[in-house]
Amino acid sequence: MTVVTEPLSENTADVIVVGAGPAGSTTAYHLAKAGLDVLLLEKTEFPREKVCGDGLTPRAVKQLVAMGIDVSEEAGWLRNKGLRIIGGGSRLQLDWPDLASFPDYGLVRKRDDFDEQLARNAQKAGARLFERCNVSGPVVDDRTGRITGVTAKLGEEKREVTFRAPLVVAADGNSTRLSLAMGLHRREDRPMGVAVRTYFTSPRHDDDYLESWLELWDRRGAQERLLPGYGWIFGMGDGTSNVGLGVLNTSASFKELDWREILKAWCASMPEDWGYTPENMTGPIRGAALPMAFNRQPHYTKGLLLVGDAGGLVNPFNGEGIAYAMESGQIAADVVVQAHARATPAQREIALQRYPRVLKDTYGGYYSLGRAFVKLIGNPKVMQIAAQRGLTHPVLMKFTLKLLANLTDPTGGDAMDRIINGLSRVAPKA
């Protein structure tokens, strides 16, 4: 006798992933590769722009390689060798460390193209991608309080549709309307940053080092002022440079200043032949929030998992978000795959409760160190002194690079690795 099973509805799945940025697409990719039926819902249509520095450290490169993405220069990626740090009247060029755990190069790629590559990669693995699908809220079981799906408006006509799955992943960024609708609000005791950036046509477009400026000077008034935060210049390899700045909310002037105007003033202080002038600007100045250090918790509750910016996974040391978005997506997928194989709802719930514990074991101590660092450099004078003293000591700066970029070998590393790993282990995993 042949048993015919009913096909799943187009609107039902094992897992729904809301948001097709790096976190959501990575989650969907790993879930689909493991054989689960995944709906990946993206509110916009690819290609689409996101505010970002566009620079990827070796942490992010490792994730791309693990997903089988071609990261060669022939495929349109610009490689970088390390970080050039400028401050206190000095400049220091540091290569990415040689490690067993991470590659020794970073990458640069614009986010509109980068995000689409990840989403198409998830599609290729078997995820069902819905673009122009604006999720409006959760579907909640009145009896248990668990999320069982989402409502959305689909396509140009904004057709109302309901998608259902026993598990939902919130990968909808810092605003994460889905998390808020489920009662998960931002923790005010965790740092937030703001990034603003624009693009210029520039002869510096093919620089093979990411460049970080540790001092931001506002020279518009009679007396120049040192501002909290740091600036960056990343060559894009396509004739343009991504120029931006990151600012922390720990500074007294965070809410007072127009950071777009600060960026304009900072660019105006650059050498004229670099081309960072209004007439060379290829697009508007855009800004975005950087949610840091687990600023929304718990990362799993009532059938909802938070990944990437939705869970505040941005590194407080350096504002990097993409690597942690992708890593949290892989961790979430691993947990969900194991839970899916359990026989009973109670056993599945035990497996799912592991997700926030793995995140805290992986990042909790390191992020606690980062929170202390953020409080310290909220005073721009501290940053100035650190730049003036630190940049004259290359060995100290090599240690600092490993710490800020979270690039160490967990076992068998050098003395610097052991110190950083030890500090992360003993710090509170909050």
Side-chain angles (χ1 to χ4, degrees):
M1 183 178 75
T2 303
V3 178
V4 178
T5 58
E6 285 290 320
L8 283 173
S9 161
E10 181 187 51
N11 296 351
T12 63
D14 296 320
V15 186
I16 294 169
V17 179
V18 178
S25 291
T26 302
T27 307
Y29 168 83
H30 288 291
L31 289 170
K33 286 288 284 186
L36 274 65
D37 184 33
V38 188
L39 289 171
L40 180 58
L41 312 180
E42 167 58 36
K43 69 178 179 180
T44 59
E45 185 175 23
F46 290 109
R48 52 104 169 99
E49 188 175 24
K50 280 289 184 75
V51 176
C52 186
D54 300 324
L56 305 174
T57 70
R59 286 195 80 95
V61 177
K62 179 179 181 178
Q63 288 295 314
L64 293 170
V65 172
M67 294 168 64
I69 292 177
D70 181 0
V71 295
S72 67
E73 295 184 10
E74 292 75 18
W77 299 85
L78 179 66
R79 293 196 176 193
N80 58 72
K81 298 175 181 178
L83 185 66
R84 184 184 303 113
I85 305 171
I86 298 170
S90 300
R91 56 194 290 126
L92 184 64
Q93 201 158 274
L94 296 169
D95 289 347
W96 298 120
D98 288 319
L99 298 168
S101 302
F102 298 98
D104 64 349
Y105 62 93
L107 295 168
V108 172
R109 189 134 190 170
K110 279 193 175 180
R111 279 293 299 274
D112 54 0
D113 184 44
F114 176 79
D115 284 18
E116 182 169 17
Q117 281 213 23
L118 293 188
R120 301 302 177 207
N121 201 51
Q123 257 188 316
K124 186 178 176 181
R128 294 185 282 143
L129 174 64
F130 284 76
E131 297 176 60
R132 304 191 70 174
C133 182
N134 193 355
V135 171
S136 49
V139 177
V140 178
D141 186 313
D142 292 335
R143 183 176 55 85
T144 64
R146 289 180 68 87
I147 189 169
T148 60
V150 297
T151 55
K153 294 180 179 178
L154 187 60
E156 273 188 54
E157 66 279 11
K158 298 183 179 179
R159 176 170 59 91
E160 292 188 2
V161 61
T162 299
F163 297 97
R164 295 188 183 275
L167 288 173
V168 178
V169 176
D172 49 347
N174 172 61
S175 59
T176 187
R177 291 166 54 191
L178 191 60
S179 302
L180 291 172
M182 290 291 289
L184 300 179
H185 297 279
R186 182 169 77 85
R187 289 183 57 160
E188 298 295 333
D189 63 338
R190 300 299 160 98
M192 282 284 290
V194 169
V196 293
R197 67 96 178 98
T198 189
Y199 296 95
F200 296 94
T201 54
S202 170
R204 299 198 62 202
H205 73 97
D206 58 353
D207 192 348
D208 55 4
Y209 282 81
L210 303 180
E211 191 165 278
S212 179
W213 291 61
L214 301 187
E215 295 173 325
L216 289 177
W217 289 99
D218 180 7
R219 296 186 167 96
R220 293 173 299 167
Q223 187 172 2
E224 61 185 24
R225 178 167 52 154
L226 184 61
L227 301 166
Y230 69 96
W232 71 75
I233 298 172
F234 298 165
M236 300 302 299
D238 63 355
T240 67
S241 293
N242 179 318
V243 183
L245 55 88
V247 189
L248 296 164
N249 69 349
T250 51
S251 67
S253 54
F254 179 75
K255 293 181 179 179
E256 302 170 8
L257 298 173
D258 184 336
W259 295 105
R260 287 172 172 80
E261 291 302 314
I262 298 297
L263 178 59
K264 290 178 184 177
W266 183 57
C267 290
S269 72
M270 298 291 178
E272 188 175 347
D273 59 357
W274 289 4
Y276 303 146
T277 58
E279 58 269 23
N280 289 335
M281 194 181 295
T282 63
I285 296 174
R286 299 184 187 275
L290 302 174
M292 298 175 171
F294 293 160
N295 81 333
R296 187 172 279 105
Q297 297 183 40
H299 290 103
Y300 170 74
T301 182
K302 299 177 181 178
L304 181 72
L305 298 93
L306 312 186
V307 295
D309 285 8
L313 267 290
V314 173
N315 182 346
F317 278 107
N318 66 358
E320 180 182 13
I322 290 176
Y324 302 92
M326 297 175 74
E327 288 177 5
S328 64
Q330 183 180 26
I331 292 169
D334 289 344
V335 169
V336 169
V337 167
Q338 292 299 322
H340 184 74
R342 303 289 174 92
T344 67
Q347 290 173 337
R348 287 192 286 275
E349 191 64 18
I350 289 172
L352 292 166
Q353 291 289 348
R354 179 172 168 265
Y355 174 60
R357 292 198 298 270
V358 174
L359 286 184
K360 288 194 175 184
D361 285 346
T362 305
Y363 305 118
Y366 177 77
Y367 282 178
S368 290
L369 295 176
R371 284 158 47 209
F373 174 80
V374 161
K375 287 181 182 178
L376 194 64
I377 66 167
N379 181 341
K381 288 294 182 184
V382 173
M383 178 72 97
Q384 184 183 30
I385 293 169
Q388 289 172 345
R389 305 274 174 85
L391 286 177
T392 58
H393 298 277
V395 174
L396 175 61
M397 292 308 298
K398 182 179 177 183
F399 174 86
T400 303
L401 176 64
K402 282 192 166 192
L403 176 64
L404 269 57
N406 198 11
L407 291 172
T408 63
D409 276 324
T411 57
D414 61 17
M416 293 181 185
D417 294 358
R418 291 193 292 274
I419 293 170
I420 294 169
N421 296 338
L423 290 171
S424 297
R425 279 195 296 269
V426 300
K429 293 178 170 56

